[in-house]
Amino acid sequence: MKIKHASNNIDDMERQRAESTFTIISKVKNSPNVNTAVKWLSSNKLLIFILVSVVFGVILGLILRPLNLSSDIITLISYPGDLFLRTLKLMVLPFIISCLIIGAANLDISKNGNVAIRTIVYFVLTSVFNVCLGLTLGLLVHPGSPDLRYTNTTSFSGPKKMNVMDGFLDMGKNLLPENLFQATIQQTLTEYETVMGENNTKTLKKVVKYKDGTNTLGIIFFCLIFGTVLGTMGERKRPVLNFFTVTYEVMQKILTGVIWFTPIGVASVICGKIITQAQLTTTLVQLSLFIATTVGGFLFYQLIVIQVIYFVIVKKSPWPYYVSLGPALATAFATASKSASLPITFKVLDEKLKMNPKITKFVLPIGTINMDGSALYLSVALLFLAQINNLQLGIGEIFTIGLACTAASMSSAAIPSAAIVLVVMLCSVINIPTEDVSMLFAVDWLVDRFRTMNNLIGDCYTVAIVQHLSKEELEQDDEKEAEEAHVNGTFVMQEQEQNPQTNQSFSTNTPV
């Protein structure tokens, strides 16, 4: 009996221990902190996968670098990333066209011009601020030193000269392209060619040429005009507007499938870049101060300045908004292209952050003129090149650099390493030898990724700020649309009541 009683006591103790363990597990599962963590992990799966793929791509690239892989193997490693970038770029043009036309038509800019004015003014002010920030950092840190110059610098192919006035004139020519179809593949650019004059003297001749690359500025301007006029045509605009709306929805469905290949593409791109980069360690050490100055400026603007602007204007904590942009920023970092990350940016802002589609479809496509990161980079780069050439800059030269960098950044293409070409063009502003740009090109693969993140985050925060400042106009638009929908619905019901036979015939002959 004692043995049986002892056995029962042991069973009771085991049962109590199991019940207490189950109770603890249940409390842990049902605790608010665990639920919040699980919910966050579930809603940010894509961001986690992308971050893991970034780390994996870096580690794999560093492991494979010493193996001296053949070019064929490197091509195969980079191939998934190449396909991923091509797919994203394929979607950019339909996105820009459909979004701008829908946004301009629904926004009715003729009645809500303040939205457009706020957007453009904000773009200009942030670009000017970033140029000033870059000039300040370049003068205070002084990253350039004559000792950094390569002993054997190679010439960098590019435009031989740039005039500030030519830059503004080129913007106007690209704004009004001669041929809309040509604008999808070429841009207008003024260059200077060396020609032989009388007495065998060499002179520079100004030549207007076409270079490869989408003229996004011209396409944006045309779509804005088209959408604005379309928005003033009443009910006649519906068939055309429905066409572009369906086009946008189709692109969104395609994106839904493509977006889950982002981690594979990101890992492939980063791994391939690290493997193919020559003299990785030496270059990073040699130009570390320049990298620290530019990246430090990017992070200062991204983590402090833009957050303060958001908090002051929107009067909310900016960090939840910033964290939610993770997938778009990670894609921008990996692809080094704001255009390539545009489809994912739309998905994040529209579906996750629930921003007003009228604002996102208007602001994001015209964000090609809002290059905050490029504005900062150009000013630091020019000061760096001037410093390694021992050029003494006065107030006039610094002001000229600031003006030229502001204009150039707003005409920069949203493609990888586009800013490096602008550096070559801007060297002529203060007579800097273009051969030294090869040093910047050696580290641009890294700096470009942080620069692109700043370019993208500027657009995303513009959406939030413009939407907050335009709250009254948007509410009035919503009320007007609700009234029109009510009137149209009443009109349709009256038509059906007046023509029951027609309605019956339609309903019986129309397949469900």
Side-chain angles (χ1 to χ4, degrees), residues 1-185:
M1 293 295 292
K2 290 182 179 180
I3 295 174
K4 186 176 181 180
H5 182 70
S7 177
N8 290 336
N9 289 338
I10 293 174
D11 291 340
D12 290 340
M13 292 175 62
E14 290 292 336
R15 190 180 301 108
Q16 290 176 1
R17 188 181 296 111
E19 289 177 355
S20 62
T21 303
F22 178 77
T23 303
I24 293 172
I25 294 174
S26 299
K27 288 181 178 179
V28 170
K29 284 184 176 180
N30 296 324
S31 66
N33 293 334
V34 173
N35 287 336
T36 302
V38 172
K39 186 177 179 181
W40 186 88
L41 291 173
S42 177
S43 60
N44 292 275
K45 289 183 290 187
L46 181 62
L47 172 60
I48 295 171
F49 290 154
I50 293 176
L51 294 178
V52 170
S53 67
V54 170
V55 176
F56 176 75
V58 172
I59 294 175
L60 184 62
L62 294 175
I63 292 174
L64 296 179
R65 268 185 65 86
L67 301 181
N68 295 322
L69 301 175
S70 65
S71 59
D72 290 339
I73 295 178
I74 295 175
T75 300
L76 290 175
I77 293 174
S78 304
Y79 189 64
D82 184 40
L83 291 181
F84 176 69
L85 287 176
R86 292 171 71 90
T87 304
L88 290 178
K89 292 176 182 178
L90 176 66
M91 302 173 69
V92 169
L93 200 57
F95 251 108
I96 289 178
I97 294 174
S98 59
C99 289
L100 271 179
I101 292 177
I102 294 171
N106 286 333
L107 193 60
D108 197 354
I109 299 179
S110 61
K111 297 180 181 178
N112 296 304
N114 289 335
V115 175
I117 293 173
R118 290 185 188 111
T119 302
I120 300 300
V121 169
Y122 183 82
F123 282 172
V124 174
L125 290 178
T126 53
S127 296
V128 172
F129 176 85
N130 276 276
V131 168
C132 295
L133 177 61
L135 292 174
T136 303
L137 291 174
L139 293 172
L140 291 178
V141 179
H142 203 283
S145 170
D147 297 333
L148 290 176
R149 296 191 66 181
Y150 289 163
T151 54
N152 295 316
T153 56
T154 56
S155 61
F156 188 90
S157 59
K160 297 180 180 179
K161 184 179 179 182
M162 179 184 179
N163 186 285
V164 176
M165 185 182 71
D166 292 335
F168 281 106
L169 295 179
D170 285 344
M171 287 180 62
K173 293 171 185 174
N174 285 314
L175 194 68
L176 296 170
E178 296 176 339
N179 188 308
L180 186 63
F181 296 99
Q182 184 186 27
T184 61
I185 58 174

Side-chain angles (χ1 to χ4, degrees), residues 266-471:
V266 165
S268 174
V269 169
I270 292 180
C271 180
K273 264 300 183 191
I274 292 178
I275 293 174
T276 56
Q277 186 64 35
Q279 298 179 346
L280 180 65
T281 306
T282 304
T283 303
L284 291 178
V285 171
Q286 192 174 23
L287 298 176
S288 58
L289 195 55
F290 171 75
I291 297 173
T293 304
T294 52
V295 174
F298 295 149
L299 295 177
F300 175 75
Y301 179 76
Q302 182 180 145
L303 299 177
I304 298 178
V305 176
I306 197 72
Q307 311 300 341
V308 171
I309 294 174
Y310 181 96
F311 178 77
V312 171
I313 297 178
V314 182
K315 295 179 176 60
K316 292 182 181 178
S317 173
W319 300 113
Y321 186 82
Y322 178 76
V323 172
S324 298
L325 297 174
L329 294 176
T331 305
F333 180 85
T335 61
S337 172
K338 188 167 74 169
S339 292
S341 59
L342 185 62
I344 296 177
T345 307
F346 267 107
K347 190 174 182 65
V348 170
L349 291 178
D350 289 342
E351 298 182 10
K352 190 172 184 179
L353 290 169
K354 306 298 181 184
M355 304 305 291
N356 194 312
K358 294 179 181 178
I359 300 297
T360 57
K361 291 184 178 68
F362 177 76
V363 173
L364 291 182
I366 67 172
T368 185
I369 63 173
N370 183 39
M371 296 291 191
D372 294 336
S374 298
L376 189 150
Y377 171 81
L378 290 174
S379 54
V380 175
L382 285 185
L383 287 182
F384 172 81
L385 294 174
Q387 289 164 2
I388 66 174
N389 284 280
N390 279 328
L391 294 179
Q392 301 299 320
L393 302 178
I395 299 298
E397 288 83 0
I398 294 175
F399 179 79
T400 301
I401 291 175
L403 181 63
C405 290
T406 303
S409 68
M410 299 185 74
S411 62
S412 175
I415 58 175
S417 298
I420 202 73
V421 179
L422 292 177
V423 172
V424 181
M425 297 169 61
L426 291 170
C427 281
S428 62
V429 173
I430 52 175
N431 297 319
I432 298 175
T434 57
E435 290 79 8
D436 296 327
V437 179
S438 58
M439 286 191 294
L440 301 182
F441 193 76
V443 297
D444 194 66
W445 62 275
L446 175 63
V447 177
D448 193 18
R449 280 154 170 73
F450 291 95
R451 182 170 67 229
T452 304
M453 288 176 64
N454 267 35
N455 290 338
L456 179 65
I457 202 172
D459 294 350
C460 296
Y461 274 70
T462 303
V463 170
I465 291 169
V466 171
Q467 177 173 318
H468 178 78
L469 296 176
S470 308
K471 187 182 298 183

